[in-house]
Amino acid sequence: MKRWLKMAAGAAAITLATAGCAGSGSGDSTNSSAPASNGSLTVWLMTGTAPESLTNSLHKEFEDAHPGVKVKYEIQQWNGIQQKLTTALASDNPPDVIELGNTQTPAFANQGVLADLTSSVGDFNGAQWLQGLKASGEFDGKTYGVPFYAANREVIYRKDMFEQAGITATPKTRAEWLDAITKLKAKFGSDPEFQALYHPGQNWYELLSYIWDEGGDIAQANGKAFKSTLDSAQAKAGLEFYKQLTEASGTKAPKDADEATPQQAGIYGAGKVAMMIGVPGEADTAAKTDPSIKEKSGAFPIPGKTADKSAPVFLGGSNLVIPANSKNAAAAKDYVKLFSTPKYQTELAKAGYVPGTSTDVSALDANPLTKVMAEASKNGRAVPTSPKWGDVESGQNPIKDMLTAYLTGTKTLDQATADANAALDKLIGG
């Protein structure tokens, strides 16, 4: 999940100037957390998350409302953060407020190192929470994380190519999407380097959209554990469409790698690709190859089976948590409460994120790509809230293996899904 969060933080928003400090904090991520006291509040946010203008304003307002309490703001790097969090949360003097990746939250909740915030949900604007992210902060029937921000995938496309191919409206269904691909190939297919859709074989976050759209899931809760469901008819149907899309797309992407290997934005920016599936800021990355690509690009939600709604999307993002051993828990709750207000959620939206505790996403309308992302996020979901989910993403991911095996023909549909199901059960089933 850390790699996705880095992509979401860097690509879903503009480049954020967060290297400095805010309030009276040091902003130095190399310093370990000092013991909290009634006179200080230590806050850890990740690099590239909140704009400096936001944190400066937030910390001033918080300190003005809490005379004598100073915010010690420390920006953390994703590289190495897991071990740093493990050590800090197990200590007697952890930071008071921490940003956690949404797939990290259940694991730490299971360890008993996070404060139970269930009774305080209403104080954190709970009625306005982004529903797809809300689940990632819950574990065993209790709430431990407050939604911070999210980002999700969409289809980014070349408006000029669509126009030249005679495509007058963006696809709303899978069938319309496949039809658009046919038209693009008819117009540009004489170029051997052309790809109607750049479609790597292991973009498993995208696969989730098709499985969910079929009414399936990758796993279901089984008490505190989870039972894998990759061998269900719905999951198989989602995988079949992924293969159909791959074969129709004319893609030259590897079947044994994801969208980051190589970085798909650079390939899209090179000018011979009509579509890619990614987060909005990947258009900014593509512009490093061709500065004109941003003006040429539009976006539409990942199409669903029917036109009445787009496919569900995976929400990557973060939660705000309060460690169980915080020495200033009351002030920490006030800090999270202030961050959850419309004022600061709007600032997050202006920076290009889907806000976690506000349904007002109008600030994202200024950019056509983030506007589409915000609309699609309403039908967003999280991965299973297993405390062992980190093992899925950091190790030999059985969902990626399943995709490659089926796309390359080394396994049948039934073999690929059965093997992946068994492997996933070993990771999250106990």
Side-chain angles (χ1 to χ4, degrees):
M1 188 57 199
K2 288 185 286 185
R3 183 189 60 77
W4 156 253
L5 286 171
K6 285 188 285 186
M7 180 186 296
I14 56 174
T15 302
L16 305 177
T18 53
C21 61
S24 57
S26 67
D28 183 359
S29 65
T30 61
N31 294 336
S32 60
S33 173
S37 70
N38 289 333
S40 68
L41 188 82
T42 302
V43 176
W44 283 10
L45 299 185
M46 301 307 299
T47 183
T49 295
E52 187 176 16
S53 59
L54 186 159
T55 53
N56 282 343
S57 176
L58 175 75
H59 295 162
K60 182 180 187 304
E61 182 172 348
F62 177 85
E63 290 176 352
D64 287 347
H66 297 77
V69 178
K70 295 294 183 181
V71 176
K72 184 181 181 186
Y73 178 42
E74 299 180 355
I75 299 171
Q76 304 299 314
Q77 305 299 318
W78 285 110
N79 187 30
I81 191 59
Q82 185 70 25
Q83 184 56 51
K84 191 170 185 179
L85 287 169
T86 300
T87 301
L89 286 166
S91 73
D92 290 333
N93 293 300
D96 300 291
V97 178
I98 298 177
E99 175 189 346
L100 289 183
N102 59 341
T103 60
Q104 295 173 314
T105 308
F108 286 116
N110 184 52
Q111 294 171 19
V113 294
L114 303 183
D116 179 358
L117 303 177
T118 308
S119 63
S120 301
V121 168
D123 296 332
F124 305 137
N125 206 25
Q128 296 285 308
W129 284 11
L130 181 63
Q131 290 302 302
L133 201 59
K134 174 178 179 288
S136 71
E138 298 174 338
F139 180 73
D140 197 21
K142 298 179 180 179
T143 297
Y144 294 91
V146 176
F148 187 15
Y149 74 89
N152 48 270
R153 286 169 171 79
E154 60 190 8
V155 183
I156 299 171
Y157 74 100
R158 286 280 299 271
K159 294 183 292 185
D160 55 335
M161 287 185 171
F162 268 48
E163 182 179 354
Q164 292 173 52
I167 303 169
T168 57
T170 54
K172 294 186 180 300
T173 66
R174 294 181 186 178
E176 290 175 357
W177 197 8
L178 292 170
D179 182 61
I181 287 173
T182 298
K183 291 178 178 177
L184 287 163
K185 290 166 69 176
K187 176 65 178 178
F188 301 104
S190 60
D191 185 339
E193 296 182 14
F194 176 72
Q195 301 176 67
L197 169 68
Y198 184 78
H199 202 237
Q202 293 188 345
N203 193 346
W204 69 279
Y205 290 123
E206 176 202 341
L207 172 66
L208 293 179
S209 289
Y210 311 135
I211 293 176
W212 288 333
D213 198 34
E214 293 285 349
D217 209 338
I218 52 178
Q220 292 288 341
N222 182 21
K224 290 186 178 181
F226 284 82
K227 173 62 180 173
S228 302
T229 54
L230 287 170
D231 60 349
S232 69
Q234 295 88 347
K236 289 179 181 179
L239 182 56
E240 284 184 293
F241 179 71
Y242 193 104
K243 185 176 184 179
Q244 182 183 9
L245 189 62
T246 302
E247 292 175 344
S249 67
T251 188
K252 303 181 186 306
K255 293 181 172 65
D256 59 352
D258 62 22
E259 68 279 10
T261 312
Q263 287 288 347
Q264 65 176 5
I267 296 171
Y268 176 75
K272 297 295 182 76
V273 173
M275 290 180 281
M276 67 174 174
I277 299 168
V279 292
E282 288 185 82
D284 295 321
T285 304
K288 295 178 181 178
T289 302
D290 175 8
S292 71
I293 201 76
K294 280 191 69 175
E295 292 184 3
K296 296 175 182 176
S297 295
F300 55 91
I302 295 175
K305 292 180 68 176
T306 57
D308 57 319
K309 61 179 180 179
S310 58
V313 290
F314 166 71
L315 292 177
S318 290
N319 297 313
L320 294 177
V321 302
I322 298 173
N325 289 339
S326 168
K327 296 298 189 292
N328 213 350
K333 286 184 178 180
D334 286 349
Y335 181 93
V336 176
K337 180 179 179 180
L338 183 60
F339 221 143
S340 301
T341 59
K343 175 180 178 180
Y344 292 106
Q345 292 296 296
T346 297
E347 289 303 307
L348 278 175
K350 288 179 180 178
Y353 297 103
V354 180
T357 62
S358 174
T359 57
D360 181 6
V361 294
S362 58
L364 289 161
D365 290 351
N367 181 331
L369 272 63
T370 58
K371 180 178 181 180
V372 169
M373 177 182 70
E375 184 63 29
S377 73
K378 296 175 183 178
N379 193 19
R381 298 176 62 174
V383 294
T385 53
S386 166
K388 299 182 179 180
W389 192 260
D391 295 338
V392 177
E393 300 202 25
S394 63
Q396 189 70 27
N397 188 324
I399 308 174
K400 286 187 171 184
D401 291 343
M402 175 184 72
L403 279 162
T404 295
Y406 184 48
L407 292 176
T408 58
T410 57
K411 292 181 182 179
T412 66
L413 177 64
D414 289 344
Q415 289 172 331
T417 53
D419 290 348
N421 206 63
L424 189 61
D425 260 341
K426 288 182 180 179
L427 292 172
I428 67 173

